[in-house]
Amino acid sequence: MEKRDAYLKGPTILRGKMIPKQTTDERLLATGDDAEWLHSDPWRVMRIQSEFIEGFGALAELGPAVSVFGSARTPETEESYQQAREVGKLLAQAGYAVITGGGPGVMEAANRGALEGGGRSVGLGIELPHEQGMNQWVDLGINFRYFFARKTMFVKYSSGFIVMPGGFGTLDELFEATTLVQTKKVRHFPIVLVGKAYWSGLLEWIRTTMLQAGMISDNEDDLLQLVDTPQEAVATVLAAIAKDREQQ
């Protein structure tokens, strides 16, 4: 029998004809032509509330952690996969849990490294219209329906972010975190990009276009730190965390 696609909807696994045509996020953001939303949207608040309660309950005793972001499309043969694996291992050996999106690619690599380093491996999954699932290296996994609930968990339970090469999803997490630091919604903590060849163009654009156009302040282009190795990434994050603790 051929392997059947699986669709994760919160804690529920659906296959075949049970797979919905819309995600929960898509239905939440849809606008209706009638008053049907008046009856359904208030009840969605209860589901949203339950996701926050479940996430807070599962992660409350996690301890110090660092989130690792990156592409779900990265194969094991790529250098960034092996780098993420080493990042996860080094963080675990330093006493930090590793939090990822729980999927394949870079996320799988970081979770795998965390286990190999004897640490805690956490995956925060999300309901998507295509198969993804929780990778096998996750010890503690939570599946979310709503992106905003999931993002809250990344920020609340992390002491820093390490960002590997990735696509739109990675950029979304990267710039949302950067905005929270910029606006002082969270205290300053490190956001480290790994891979100079991949990220240098973006940072150059920030400094030569955004900064020169006055869209950001002089010191805000330093919110993102660029390194080239897993060792540098982990050392940078740990040094910033230690400095922040000294200043408290």
Side-chain angles (χ1 to χ4, degrees):
M1 181 177 179
E2 294 184 3
K3 182 180 178 181
R4 302 171 69 201
D5 288 344
Y7 182 93
L8 296 177
K9 187 177 182 182
T12 307
I13 298 176
L14 303 173
R15 289 190 171 91
K17 295 180 179 179
M18 297 301 295
I19 296 178
K21 292 182 172 59
Q22 290 182 307
T23 67
T24 306
D25 261 329
E26 189 178 358
R27 289 192 295 276
L28 172 67
L29 298 174
T31 56
D33 295 328
D34 52 35
E36 188 276 332
W37 65 270
L38 190 63
H39 306 289
S40 59
D41 280 10
W43 287 104
R44 286 196 180 105
V45 174
M46 302 299 291
R47 177 177 288 169
I48 292 168
Q49 183 183 49
S50 71
E51 291 214 339
F52 281 106
I53 292 172
E54 183 177 358
F56 292 156
L59 300 173
E61 299 179 358
L62 180 62
V66 171
S67 288
V68 180
F69 301 117
S71 176
R73 304 183 184 188
T74 304
E76 188 173 350
T77 54
E78 289 288 328
E79 181 183 13
S80 56
Y81 182 102
Q82 299 304 326
Q83 286 184 322
R85 185 175 174 181
E86 184 66 15
V87 164
K89 183 177 181 180
L90 291 172
L91 287 171
Q93 291 174 342
Y96 284 81
V98 174
I99 304 176
T100 77
V106 164
M107 295 174 280
E108 172 190 299
N111 287 133
R112 183 176 180 178
L115 281 187
E116 292 170 343
R120 293 149 293 176
S121 178
V122 180
L124 307 181
I126 185 68
E127 176 189 344
L128 293 173
H130 52 80
E131 181 179 6
Q132 186 172 29
M134 197 72 68
N135 71 69
Q136 64 174 320
W137 307 100
V138 169
D139 279 336
L140 171 59
I142 309 169
N143 282 313
F144 291 88
R145 291 180 172 92
Y146 300 102
F147 268 110
F148 55 84
R150 178 184 186 234
K151 287 178 179 178
T152 300
M153 303 304 152
F154 277 124
V155 175
K156 180 173 176 58
Y157 294 102
S158 295
S159 299
F161 298 144
I162 293 178
V163 187
M164 308 297 298
F168 288 136
T170 302
L171 290 174
D172 177 48
E173 299 287 1
L174 167 62
F175 283 113
E176 179 143 358
T178 305
T179 302
L180 290 173
V181 176
Q182 176 202 38
T183 57
K184 303 188 186 305
K185 291 293 185 180
V186 297
R187 65 185 181 185
H188 182 74
F189 63 95
I191 303 172
V192 180
L193 308 178
V194 182
K196 292 181 179 178
Y198 191 85
W199 294 113
S200 290
L202 175 63
L203 293 184
E204 183 66 16
W205 177 78
I206 289 173
R207 289 165 182 156
T208 60
T209 301
M210 291 182 71
L211 181 59
Q212 290 182 13
M215 301 301 175
I216 59 174
S217 301
D218 287 340
N219 61 333
E220 290 176 350
D221 61 325
D222 294 329
L223 295 178
L224 304 177
Q225 302 179 65
L226 179 61
V227 301
D228 222 19
T229 69
Q231 292 76 16
E232 290 176 302
V234 174
T236 301
V237 166
L238 297 185
I241 293 172
K243 181 178 179 180
D244 182 58
R245 287 174 177 170
E246 291 175 359
Q247 294 175 348
Q248 290 181 15

